[in-house]
Amino acid sequence: MNTAGKEDLGTADTAEAQYVMAKTSVWWDIENCQVPKGLDAHGIAQNISSALKKMNYCGRVSIFAYGDTSGIPHVIQHALNSTGIELHHVPAGEFLKPFYGVKDASDKKILVDMLFWAFDNPAPSNIMLISGDRDFSNALHKLSLRRYNILLAHPPKASAPLSQAATTVWLWTSLLAGGNPLIRGKVKTSQLVANASTSSNVMSSPPHNQFPDPPRSGPLHARQPYLNPDPFVNNRDPNAARPGPSNMRPLCPNAIRRHRQEKLERALLLLILLVFMFMILATVNSN
């Protein structure tokens, strides 16, 4: 048996106690991680189970493979079905390309069935994904926050967010041979939940003065004159009398002096008019 990855076993932690006897579902994107040419497909299921047992995952294992079986040789299909792997045919013909493309068909089918399985099998449970597609990273991160233990096997080139969602990671070629994982994340599921709740609290209550009001640019505008409806008042005087409470800005002495002078002038004009009226009345009475 190939012992690929054996040198990394010292840095890979075994299963936590709550996941040792838990169920393990394996979701295999057979289009992204294909069966290598010349490999006997009859031993794939056994090697996957052996790799899991090495990491102390001893619960029941279920393996589901998804892909367009029209491109898989019948010998491999028969070998997978005869060893307990459920092979799901996801057609990706030309008539489906305008809707979701060839590759997305299998991804969406895996996501739907994986979430249904998680709904029927509450945590703690183990979920292994065999794929390198980053489209699965969001769902895996959310499942890990709900106390599902995420395992991953990917080809040499895989998405970084996808690898960060898993606690244990294999190379696909190593898992095929029943080998050891590469790494195991040091952050436990409980720590992920605590970090998620802490970050949500921080985002929900921003610190005081996080977004202060910007300073006013330029000098303050000069006080605009009030247009007094009285035609005898200088309407362009910025210190002219204005309506409002008594605590408003007081008038300057010059404005008060001019205002009194205008009142005296109007009083004198009215007095002169009255004198002329009395003189006219006196003249009329004398005649």
Side-chain angles (χ1 to χ4, degrees):
M1 179 180 295
N2 191 349
T3 59
K6 184 175 181 179
E7 64 277 8
D8 297 321
L9 184 59
T11 60
D13 298 333
T14 56
E16 297 180 17
Q18 58 181 336
Y19 300 115
V20 171
M21 298 305 300
K23 297 179 181 179
T24 301
S25 61
V26 180
W27 307 89
W28 178 11
D29 183 0
I30 201 170
E31 295 176 351
N32 190 268
C33 295
Q34 300 179 359
V35 178
K37 293 182 179 180
L39 179 70
D40 185 7
H42 290 88
I44 292 178
Q46 181 62 35
N47 290 342
I48 292 176
S49 298
S50 299
L52 291 172
K53 287 181 180 178
K54 285 183 180 180
M55 302 307 298
N56 207 22
Y57 294 104
C58 303
R60 189 180 67 182
V61 179
S62 303
I63 304 176
F64 310 94
Y66 293 79
D68 189 356
T69 58
S70 60
I72 301 175
H74 292 285
V75 176
I76 295 179
Q77 294 185 39
H78 182 268
L80 297 178
N81 289 323
S82 62
T83 53
I85 297 177
E86 294 187 18
L87 182 59
H88 296 265
H89 173 58
V90 182
E94 294 295 331
F95 67 96
L96 292 177
K97 285 185 179 180
F99 298 97
Y100 40 69
V102 175
K103 190 171 183 296
D104 290 344
S106 297
D107 294 351
K108 291 180 179 179
K109 179 63 175 173
I110 292 174
L111 282 173
V112 171
D113 290 354
M114 181 190 298
L115 295 178
F116 273 115
W117 186 91
F119 181 79
D120 294 334
N121 298 271
S125 298
N126 304 305
I127 296 178
M128 169 179 274
L129 175 68
I130 303 177
S131 179
D133 198 337
R134 65 177 304 166
D135 293 341
F136 296 101
S137 60
N138 185 31
L140 294 185
H141 278 285
K142 291 182 178 179
L143 288 171
S144 65
L145 293 176
R146 287 163 174 79
R147 297 180 57 243
Y148 287 93
N149 187 39
I150 305 301
L151 312 174
L152 176 67
H154 61 73
K157 293 183 179 180
S159 169
L162 184 67
S163 300
Q164 293 172 0
T167 57
T168 308
V169 181
W170 283 264
L171 278 177
W172 170 231
T173 54
S174 176
L175 184 67
L176 278 175
N180 300 318
L182 297 176
I183 58 173
R184 189 184 193 280
K186 297 182 181 298
V187 181
K188 307 296 183 182
T189 305
S190 58
Q191 294 175 340
L192 291 174
V193 175
N195 293 339
S197 60
T198 303
S199 61
S200 62
N201 293 335
V202 172
M203 293 301 295
S204 61
S205 57
H208 183 62
N209 290 337
Q210 183 178 4
F211 305 103
D213 295 333
R216 297 181 63 178
S217 59
L220 297 177
H221 296 288
R223 188 179 184 187
Q224 298 298 322
Y226 169 71
L227 299 180
N228 197 312
D230 191 345
F232 294 98
V233 177
N234 183 9
N235 289 330
R236 306 310 303 175
D237 186 2
N239 294 313
R242 302 169 184 231
S246 58
N247 60 353
M248 292 183 65
R249 178 182 175 184
L251 300 176
C252 66
N254 293 333
I256 296 175
R257 192 177 298 111
R258 285 195 300 269
H259 188 60
R260 290 177 179 176
Q261 184 178 359
E262 291 171 356
K263 283 187 175 181
L264 290 175
E265 291 176 356
R266 282 182 289 179
L268 289 175
L269 180 60
L270 181 60
L271 181 59
I272 293 172
L273 291 175
L274 290 175
V275 170
F276 274 108
M277 289 178 64
F278 280 114
M279 292 176 62
I280 293 172
L281 290 175
T283 304
V284 172
N285 291 333
S286 63
N287 293 333

